[in-house]
Every structure is written in C-alpha cells, then in structure tokens.
Amino acid sequence: RVVGRVGPVVARHLATAHPPPISPPKPHTHVFIGDVAMPLTRERGPHVPRAMLTPAELSLQSVLQTLRWLMQKDLMRQDICLIGPPGPLRRRLAQHYCWLVGRGMHALTLTRDSSETDLKQRREIRAGSVVYVDSAPVRAAMEGHVLLLDGLERAERNVLPTLNNLLENREMALPDGRFLVHPSRFDNLIARGVSAETLARDGLVRVHQSFLPRGGAHPARPHLPRFPAGPTPAITFSSSSCFSSLPPRGPCARGPGGSSTFNNYALFTHSLRRAPAPVATPRRRGKHASPSPP
C-alpha cells in the first residue's frame, strides 16, 4: 500500500504484495512502499528534485524494490551505493526517491580531474574581492540534504582522504578557515558548557544530523590490469545493483530479439567478469623472429 506521491498504479501493484502496517500513520504524512513507511519532509526550494520516473516505470517491481531498499537504508541512517551501467539510471532513481519523500538533494559527478576544490570550496571574484563559494558536499552537509556522489570508481588519490573524512567522520577542513564537525561531537561541546558563539568564532560548523551521502558507481572490469592508486578507501557502503531496474528510452531502446540495451550490457559485463586476463606474449628476436603484423 502506497500513500502519498507514488500514485494509484504503484499502490495497485503493492496492494497484495505486502500487508499494511499494524498501526498506520495518518494519510498524506507518510509514504508507504510495502511494509516500509517514511515520513514526508516537505522541503521547498530549488534543491528539491522533481519526479524522474513515469507511471509505467513505477509499475515495474524492480523499480519498487530499489525504492523500497532506499527507504529502508534511509530509515537506518546507512550510507548506500547504487551500482549500475553508465548513464542517468542511478541519478534518476536517487532523484525520484528524494522527490518521493520530499528531501533536498545535491549531486556531484566525480571524474579523474576532480580535486579537493570540487569537494570543498572554490574561489570567485565578486565586486573586486575574492570570496569562497561552498560546493555541493559542503551545502548538503550543513543543510541536511542528500548528497549524491556519482562516479565513485573514477575518484583519484587526491580526493580519497577528503572523501573518507567526510563520509566516515563527518568532518572537513574548509579553505575559508571553517571546520565541519560531527553533530554528536558538536553537541558534546555544547553540553560541556561551550557557547555556540564561541564555537562559531572558532570556525566550528555543525554537520546536520539529516545529512546522508549516496554513492553511484559502475562495476570495475577485473580483466584489466590494476595498479595501486593511493590510499585504500575506508568508506563503508551498503550496495545494490540497479542494472535492470528501468527500461531504456527512445526508438533505439531495444535491440534485436526484443532484449533491452541495459540487459545486454549487464550480460556483457558478466561475461567480462568471467573472461580470463589477457597475457602479453613477448616477441622473439633474431634470425627466426616472426614477422610483425602490418
């Protein structure tokens, strides 16, 4: 049973799948996906995404299972990572879930050129003076929104320590002199008698307790050679695969035989995982050397 923004199509699909909870909350205050209920936040502003899934896509059980899993991890306050093919699939699922529960979201796509400036602050010249502008992770941490880090598999060694410190410890040193502090540690300082004005003067900023990071990654291909890229990430994620959650769009969505492009890509990736690693054969030198290919 679904109450709220999901729609009658999803409600009809889940009416017989899961029994309703024993003491259901009031209507239009919670969103139900099966036996999981999530209260509506009802945030307003440009940071709240719009609906990204159509009613036809919401009628698929794989989509409902992914949204239900996201809701469960949100209630448990666990960091998660969506693993799927390249494209907007992971971002669409995360954006639709944030719209479903009424939460704000900030997204950051990681590339091999991403640096600490993209994670912290950047400098801009405004009215003849240099000012620091907060990046998406800093805004999400201070405002208590969902942070989507897409492309975690492309993170380089220069951003791994910063990511580890933010996602694991909820701490980050900003270039403008401020320092993000874990909410429990900030509250302990307040309980010991330190005033909020003193902490603000020292540059300590409390991370919102509702801050939740969400990762998106593409599975690596084990047949390729791997080299140590720096410190090992100490980030703990609960992962879920969303390879076949959504059907592709467009006139070229389905290939020969009616199979979807996403499913073909999943089979192709699975075959790469089982393929043996290529072995480089050294060339023979001398009189009996084999001719080089043209």
Side-chain angles (χ1 to χ4, degrees):
R1 189 167 70 90
V2 180
V3 180
R5 305 185 179 186
V6 184
V9 178
V10 185
R12 186 170 59 254
H13 260 263
L14 290 179
T16 58
H18 302 281
I22 299 177
S23 56
K26 297 179 180 179
H28 307 293
T29 59
H30 288 67
V31 178
F32 285 80
I33 299 183
D35 54 349
V36 182
M38 185 71 186
L40 290 175
T41 310
R42 301 185 184 277
E43 296 182 5
R44 297 182 181 275
H47 51 268
V48 179
R50 60 184 179 89
M52 300 298 296
L53 304 179
T54 62
E57 294 171 341
L58 287 173
S59 62
L60 300 176
Q61 291 297 321
S62 57
V63 176
L64 299 179
Q65 291 175 1
T66 304
L67 294 176
R68 181 176 180 271
W69 180 78
L70 289 174
M71 188 176 295
Q72 287 178 321
K73 297 304 178 181
D74 197 351
L75 292 172
M76 299 171 64
R77 312 296 303 171
Q78 289 186 357
D79 300 342
I80 65 171
C81 181
L82 290 174
I83 300 177
L89 174 63
R90 304 182 296 261
R91 184 185 293 260
R92 290 178 60 201
L93 287 171
Q95 287 180 342
H96 190 86
Y97 172 77
C98 291
W99 171 84
L100 189 65
V101 299
R103 295 198 59 181
M105 190 188 79
H106 298 271
L108 176 64
T109 302
L110 297 176
T111 62
R112 297 192 181 277
D113 298 328
S114 299
S115 60
E116 289 189 358
T117 306
D118 302 323
L119 297 176
K120 296 182 177 181
Q121 291 175 326
R122 67 177 185 274
R123 291 183 296 180
E124 294 184 359
I125 298 178
R126 296 180 181 178
S129 60
V130 179
V131 296
Y132 287 94
V133 180
D134 297 336
S135 61
V138 177
R139 295 196 305 268
M142 293 191 300
E143 299 173 6
H145 296 157
V146 176
L147 173 63
L148 177 61
L149 297 173
D150 200 3
L152 284 175
E153 77 281 357
R154 296 189 294 268
E156 291 290 339
R157 71 172 73 184
N158 56 338
V159 299
L160 285 180
T162 306
L163 282 177
N164 291 339
N165 201 24
L166 175 63
L167 302 183
E168 288 293 321
N169 304 324
R170 300 295 196 264
E171 294 179 353
M172 178 183 288
L174 301 180
D176 61 354
R178 294 180 298 170
F179 188 82
L180 300 182
V181 185
H182 194 280
S184 62
R185 298 174 185 173
F186 191 92
D187 296 341
N188 289 337
L189 294 176
I190 296 295
R192 292 178 182 178
V194 183
S195 62
E197 292 77 10
T198 303
L199 296 178
R201 186 172 58 253
D202 295 340
L204 299 181
V205 181
R206 182 180 184 271
V207 175
H208 203 279
Q209 65 274 6
S210 300
F211 169 63
L212 279 179
R214 298 288 182 256
H218 169 63
R221 293 173 287 180
H223 70 285
L224 295 179
R226 297 187 178 186
F227 303 96
T232 304
I235 310 170
T236 304
F237 280 116
S238 297
S239 303
S240 176
S241 176
C242 57
F243 270 99
S244 58
S245 294
L246 294 179
R249 295 180 173 183
C252 301
R254 295 191 172 273
S259 58
S260 65
T261 307
F262 285 166
N263 293 336
N264 290 340
Y265 188 86
L267 295 176
F268 173 71
T269 307
H270 182 67
S271 63
L272 289 180
R273 294 176 181 176
R274 301 182 59 183
V279 179
T281 304
R283 289 186 179 180
R284 297 177 56 186
R285 303 191 178 209
K287 187 184 300 183
H288 302 287
S290 58
S292 58

